[in-house]
Structure formats: structure tokens, C-alpha cells
């Protein structure tokens, strides 16, 4: 490490003015949005840390690429450019573009899962599990226990517990496991990476039993940056080489291009198996579009192809994760309860410890996200019991160990000063945490309820109560 601080490897060419609001405006707005930050209008938000999905700033090269869109229905130039890029960078043989990540998850789940099947993985992801369940499968989490402990400093909290995986294979039989879902990084654990050593061992075990592995490659390059930093054998390797090795342990991937790939829309399914690729090409025409565009315009595929190459630049990834760490360190210094170590795409506040007076049944993370918006116009996202939904068998609320609020950093969008303002607001709320009220549902949707649910404060009519 050098003694100097780092700075972004880009300069800003165009700016988008933000709409400034008052606290009184925000109290009204959040009540109208049912205390769900997903239901806020973007114009009412000051610093938008809801998600890093599709919110990145594209480079001038990507924008220039948009003008090279070959908007042919079939066989556009941009498809072939994207196919070549995915083959070269990720190393998979067949590319099936989709409108975004869940489109790819849908195809893969429908093609591979039979009712009654079990799909293990290193922690669930909302859309991934939903598609596995819709196909009749059951997701089983086999991540290491440290992943569920926000205090653990384990450097690879995304690792798979090989003991749990072996036991599961023995108990259900390899034949009822169509594939293993490998997340890199693990979003729901706080953007935590899986190590190369662990990925290799998982591949060894799965291959011994004839079980395929599909990578959720959404933030795989961010994962590779952590491997380079934390696994000594990789300290001098390029992100490109590390990524190729990681992918080599898997049989294909689902990808949300809206994260690592630096685009506002797009995704893909990539597989090595010829028959599976054939099946996916057959199915993609039903749900997404022809196999050479999969719901994307030619220009979108071009921007994604360029974004993929930018994503594996070390300077880019250093600045991306460096900014997340900058915010994380400000909060750590103030002793704010948050997931450790700091993850790749955001800082995850530990709402259960932040608001110990609010029982889990009153959704402390949902309440904290709403309170943060009222305090400063910063929009965050709940990642706890509301996101976890209900058990498909019992219909009861799931209460995962982690009850988090995610401050997600879009790539190349905000400055260090925006991070400072965010940290100040979180600290202010922490000092006044006893004033934050719990929430109850007034409307609960059936699928992925966190997106459209509505709430009201359990007592009173404000999320931040007056000092008594
Ligand atoms: C965003 C995301 C997805 C789903 O991708 P979309 O593009 O939002 O459909 C899948 N897995 C992970 C880990 C994600 O973060």
C-alpha cells in the first residue's frame, strides 16, 4: 500500500442536479410511500443508496457504444461482440442474453429443476430462490456459520460449509440436486466474498457426485478483487486471470449486468453444456426474446460488452470498493453496529443491534431505512425479515439471523462528500435511536413482498418520534 490516498480513475463530464427536500416534506413522503423506500419517487430522494443495480454511471466509451447499436431483430453485431466478450472474460461457451439477471435465473430454474428437487447454495438471494421455488425446488443454505454473524471478521464469509454440503448430499441424494448455486459475492451476507480455495473444494465435491455448479456472477469481479487482496497466492494476478479461474470451477452462470457490468439494464445466462444451451435458446424465445437479443436492444448489448471489459480493470475496482470502504470506515470509527468486514457493494447496518428496543416482529431494519430517509433524504434498503418473506410450507414469517439495512453504493456516481453526509446522518440517528418507532404491515404482497409492501408505525403517526 502507498502512503497517498487513492482517487477515482475518471473525471466527471456531465452532472445530474439533485432535488433537495426538507424534513417536513420527507415525513409526508415516507408516510405516503407506506414507510417502504422502494415506493418513494426518485425525485424525492437526495442520495440514492437503495441499490447498486442498474444505477451505475456509464463511461463515455459505453455511451459511444450505444450509437453503434445494430437494431436488427436477429443476429445483431452487438450480440456477437457480447458473446465474444463473455467467452473471453468469463470463459463460458454459450451466451443467452436476458433482460436482466432474474430472466436468466428463470430460464435456468425452469430447465434444470423438477418438483421436489433440492438446490443448495451459499445463502439465498431473493429472486434466485423465488425462481427455484416457482420451479418446484427447495433452496437449502449451506454457507458457513460465520456468514450469519455480523460481528465475525472472517475474510471469506461467503464460503461454503463443506460439511453441511456433504451431509445434505447424503441425506437427499445427488440425483435430487440439479445444481449448486454459488454466489460470488454473497449479497445477503453483506457483499461477502467466497475464497478461491473454497470454490475449488466445492467444485471437487460437486463433481465427485455429478452435481453441476452455476455461478451467480452478478458481482464476481468484486469477489475477485477480495481474492486478490486476501488470498496470498493471488496478490500479483490480474482480476481477469482470477475471474477466469473462478469461473472454471463452474458450469455456467446467471448474470445481472446491472451490477459488475456497469450498465443500466441487461443480463445473461452463460453455459458450457451444448444441450442445456439448446434448451435455453428454445425457452428464451418464449419469455425474453430471440436468442440473439433476449429482451435487450442492440445498444444495450454493446454497452454491456464494453462495461464487462471496464469492470476487470484493477483501478476501477480499487476505486469502487475503496469508496464503499471509505463509508464503512467512517461508520466503524463512530462505532455504529454494522456487518464486518465491509462488503463489496455496500455497508450493511445491523438494525437488530442499532434498534434493540424494536422487536423483530416490528421490522427494525424497515424502520431504520425509513428513519434515515426522513433524517437526510438518503434512501437505503431493508435486508432482513421483510425481504426474507414467509416460509412456503408453514406460511410463517421467516426471521433470518441478519436484520440489515443496506447502504448500497452505485458505481462511479457519488463523491466522497456524499459519503460524508450519509455517515453524519447515520450517526445522528444512532444518537437518537430510542426515538425510532417499529412498523406493522398494512399491505403485504404475495411474491417478493419487500418491493411493494406498505407499513405504518406501531405507535403514533411518525417514524421518528419527538423527544418526550
Ligand atoms: C441483482 C441480483 C440478482 C438478480 O438480478 P436482476 O438483474 O435484478 O434481475 C441475482 N443475484 C444477485 C446476487 C443479485 O444481486
Amino acid at each position: 500500500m502507498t502512503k497517498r490516498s487513492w482517487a477515482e480513475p475518471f473525471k466527471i463530464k456531465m452532472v445530474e442536479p439533485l432535488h433537495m427536500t426538507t424534513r417536513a416534506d420527507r415525513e409526508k413522503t415516507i408516510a405516503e410511500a407506506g414507510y417502504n423506500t422502494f415506493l418513494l419517487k426518485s425525485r424525492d430522494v437526495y442520495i440514492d443508496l437503495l441499490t447498486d443495480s442498474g444505477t451505475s454511471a456509464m463511461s463515455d466509451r459505453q455511451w459511444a457504444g450505444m450509437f453503434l447499436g445494430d437494431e436488427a431483430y436477429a443476429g445483431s453485431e452487438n450480440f456477437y461482440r457480447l458473446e465474444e466478450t463473455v467467452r473471453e472474460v468469463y470463459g463460458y461457451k454459450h451466451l443467452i442474453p436476458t433482460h436482466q439477471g432474474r430472466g436468466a435465473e428463470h430460464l435456468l430454474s425452469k430447465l434444470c429443476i423438477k418438483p421436489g428437487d433440492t438446490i443448495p447454495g451459499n445463502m439465498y438471494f431473493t429472486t434466485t430462490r423465488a425462481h427455484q421455488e416457482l420451479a418446484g425446488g427447495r433452496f437449502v443454505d449451506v454457507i458457513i456459520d460465520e456468514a450469519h454473524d455480523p460481528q465475525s471478521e472472517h475474510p471469506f464469509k461467503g464460503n461454503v460449509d463443506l460439511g453441511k454440503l456433504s451431509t445434505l448430499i447424503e441425506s437427499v441424494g445427488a440425483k435430487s440436486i440439479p445444481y449448486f448455486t454459488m454466489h460470488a459475492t454473497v449479497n445477503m451476507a453483506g457483499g461477502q466474498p467466497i475464497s478461491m480455495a473454497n470454490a475449488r473444494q466445492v467444485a471437487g465435491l460437486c463433481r465427485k457426485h455429478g452435481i453441476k455448479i452455476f455461478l451467480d456472477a452478478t458481482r464476481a469481479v468484486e469477489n475477485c478483487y477480495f481474492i486478490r487482496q486476501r488470498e496470498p497466492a493471488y496478490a500479483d494476478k490480474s482480476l481477469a486471470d482470477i475471474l477466469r479461474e473462478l469461473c472454471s470451477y463452474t458450469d455456467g452462470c446467471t448474470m445481472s449486468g446491472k451490477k459488475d457490468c456497469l450498465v443500466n439494464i441487461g443480463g445473461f445466462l452463460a453455459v458450457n453444456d451444448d444441450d442445456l444451451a439448446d434448451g435455453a435458446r428454445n425457452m428464451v424465445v418464449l419469455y425474453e426474446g430471440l436468442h440473439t437479443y433476449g429482451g435487450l436492444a442492440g445498444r444495450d448489448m454493446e454497452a454491456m460488452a464494453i462495461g464487462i471489459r471496464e469492470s476487470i480493470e484493477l483501478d476501477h475496482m480499487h476505486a469502487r470498493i475503496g469508496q464503499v470502504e471509505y463509508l464503512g470506515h467512517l461508520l466503524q470509527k463512530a462505532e455504529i453496529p454494522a456487518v464486518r468486514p465491509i462488503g463489496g457493494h455496500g455497508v450493511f447496518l445491523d438494525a437488530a443491534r442499532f434498534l434493540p428496543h424494536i422487536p423483530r416482529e416490528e421490522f427494525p431494519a424497515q424502520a431504520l431505512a425509513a428513519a434515515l430517509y426522513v433524517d437526510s433524504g438518503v434512501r437505503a434498503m431493508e435486508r432482513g425479515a421483510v425481504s426474507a418473506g414467509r416460509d412456503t410450507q408453514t406460511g410463517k414469517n421467516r426471521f433470518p439471523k441478519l436484520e440489515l439495512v443496506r447502504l448500497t453504493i452505485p458505481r462511479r456516481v457519488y463523491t466522497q462528500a456524499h459519503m460524508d453526509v450519509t455517515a453524519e446522518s447515520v450517526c445522528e440517528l444512532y444518537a437518537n435511536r430510542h426515538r425510532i418507532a417499529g412498523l406493522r404491515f398494512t399491505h403485504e404482497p404475495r411474491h417478493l413482498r419487500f418491493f411493494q409492501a406498505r407499513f405504518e408505525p406501531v405507535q403514533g403517526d411518525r417514524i421518528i418520534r419527538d423527544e418526550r
Side-chain angles (χ1 to χ4, degrees):
M1 286 309 266
T2 57
K3 272 188 258 153
R4 298 230 175 114
S5 50
W6 59 270
E8 290 78 3
F10 55 81
K11 57 182 179 175
I12 296 167
K13 169 135 61 180
M14 192 187 282
V15 297
E16 176 183 338
L18 297 172
H19 177 63
M20 311 297 276
T21 54
T22 65
R23 188 183 180 101
D25 293 337
R26 294 191 294 269
E27 274 185 334
K28 188 160 163 279
T29 320
I30 195 71
E32 284 166 5
Y35 298 90
N36 184 349
T37 52
F38 277 105
L39 299 180
L40 290 169
K41 291 178 185 145
S42 148
R43 80 177 300 269
D44 296 324
V45 173
Y46 175 36
I47 301 174
D48 202 349
L49 307 185
L50 183 74
T51 175
D52 63 332
S53 180
T55 53
S56 299
M58 292 208 297
S59 66
D60 53 357
R61 274 154 230 210
Q62 286 177 289
W63 279 109
M66 298 284 278
F67 283 91
L68 303 179
D70 169 14
E71 308 306 343
Y73 189 88
S76 96
E77 278 285 301
N78 317 107
F79 167 76
Y80 295 106
R81 206 122 59 215
L82 179 62
E83 181 184 54
E84 183 192 305
T85 305
V86 170
R87 278 188 185 148
E88 194 183 309
V89 175
Y90 290 89
Y92 302 117
K93 188 166 165 198
H94 302 284
L95 168 78
I96 294 95
T98 58
H99 75 288
Q100 58 184 76
R102 72 198 70 183
E105 293 172 343
H106 177 209
L107 298 179
L108 183 68
S109 302
K110 246 198 156 88
L111 282 164
C112 299
I113 299 172
K114 301 185 301 304
D117 278 354
T118 298
I119 308 93
N122 47 347
M123 205 173 265
Y124 84 99
F125 182 72
T126 53
T127 57
T128 319
R129 182 175 67 191
H131 281 296
Q132 292 168 347
E133 288 175 350
L134 282 172
R138 173 181 69 117
F139 171 81
V140 177
D141 184 10
V142 293
I143 202 164
I144 56 171
D145 289 338
E146 285 88 340
H148 297 282
D149 173 6
Q151 298 288 82
S152 163
E153 290 278 2
H154 194 294
F156 290 105
K157 287 168 98 171
N159 279 356
V160 176
D161 184 326
L162 292 151
K164 285 186 198 168
L165 180 55
S166 310
T167 309
L168 179 74
I169 297 172
E170 265 165 47
S171 76
V172 302
K175 287 215 160 54
S176 70
I177 303 182
Y179 60 90
F180 178 89
T181 309
M182 183 184 284
H183 292 275
T185 58
V186 181
N187 191 346
M188 301 303 275
Q192 303 292 330
I194 180 171
S195 72
M196 192 71 89
N198 188 255
R200 197 179 300 127
Q201 287 171 319
V202 173
L205 182 62
C206 286
R207 280 178 185 161
K208 195 172 93 189
H209 291 280
I211 299 169
K212 286 198 155 73
I213 300 179
F214 288 100
L215 180 68
D216 181 333
T218 298
R219 296 181 188 82
V221 188
E222 290 178 9
N223 195 106
C224 292
Y225 180 82
F226 286 120
I227 289 176
R228 191 173 184 279
Q229 270 192 321
R230 298 178 187 171
E231 236 174 315
Y234 295 89
D236 298 320
K237 293 225 156 91
S238 68
L239 291 179
D241 286 346
I242 300 172
L243 182 64
R244 281 293 290 249
E245 180 179 341
L246 183 67
C247 294
S248 76
Y249 299 129
T250 68
D251 299 283
C253 78
T254 53
M255 171 59 102
S256 170
K258 301 169 72 172
K259 283 71 168 241
D260 265 359
C261 309
L262 296 162
V263 285
N264 305 119
I265 193 69
F268 57 82
L269 174 66
V271 298
N272 287 330
D273 186 276
D274 297 340
D275 292 336
L276 184 57
D278 230 35
R281 286 191 192 108
N282 251 298
M283 195 172 279
V284 76
V285 293
L286 286 172
Y287 295 105
E288 305 278 324
L290 194 69
H291 63 284
T292 55
Y293 76 84
L296 297 173
R299 54 181 174 266
D300 298 329
M301 292 189 281
E302 187 68 31
M304 186 152 64
I306 298 169
I308 287 171
R309 291 195 194 275
E310 292 180 359
S311 77
I312 54 173
E313 292 292 329
L314 186 60
D315 287 334
H316 158 69
M317 201 44 85
H318 185 189
R320 191 283 183 279
I321 293 184
Q323 186 175 43
V324 177
E325 287 178 339
Y326 174 80
L327 175 62
H329 289 147
L330 288 176
L331 298 177
Q332 277 180 354
K333 259 186 251 151
E335 296 182 24
I336 304 294
V339 174
R340 308 174 74 107
I342 297 154
H345 61 295
V347 179
F348 292 67
L349 303 177
D350 184 349
R353 275 196 302 138
F354 199 113
L355 301 174
H357 62 284
I358 301 182
R360 292 292 300 275
E361 292 72 21
E362 295 178 11
F363 309 116
Q366 189 76 31
L368 182 54
L372 180 65
Y373 171 73
V374 168
D375 186 67
S376 57
V378 171
R379 171 156 71 171
M381 182 197 294
E382 190 264 7
R383 277 298 182 225
V386 178
S387 292
R390 289 178 185 273
D391 189 290
T392 46
Q393 311 286 309
T394 67
K396 291 214 166 77
N397 274 319
R398 290 170 168 137
F399 287 105
K401 288 211 180 90
L402 299 178
E403 177 74 12
L404 308 177
V405 169
R406 190 178 82 180
L407 301 165
T408 340
I409 318 298
R411 297 164 187 81
R412 311 192 288 207
V413 171
Y414 290 114
T415 66
Q416 201 146 306
H418 290 113
M419 299 300 108
D420 292 339
V421 168
T422 302
E424 283 165 20
S425 175
V426 173
C427 292
E428 173 113 357
L429 283 176
Y430 192 56
N432 291 291
R433 56 193 178 276
H434 56 283
R435 291 170 51 195
I436 300 175
L439 293 170
R440 65 175 157 241
F441 276 108
T442 58
H443 168 65
E444 183 184 347
R446 181 165 161 174
H447 297 294
L448 301 174
R449 65 182 183 179
F450 57 95
F451 283 129
Q452 287 152 342
R454 303 182 70 85
F455 302 83
E456 65 185 6
V458 171
Q459 311 117 20
D461 57 0
R462 282 200 286 172
I463 188 74
I464 306 178
R465 294 183 294 250
D466 288 332
E467 196 83 71
R468 273 193 300 170

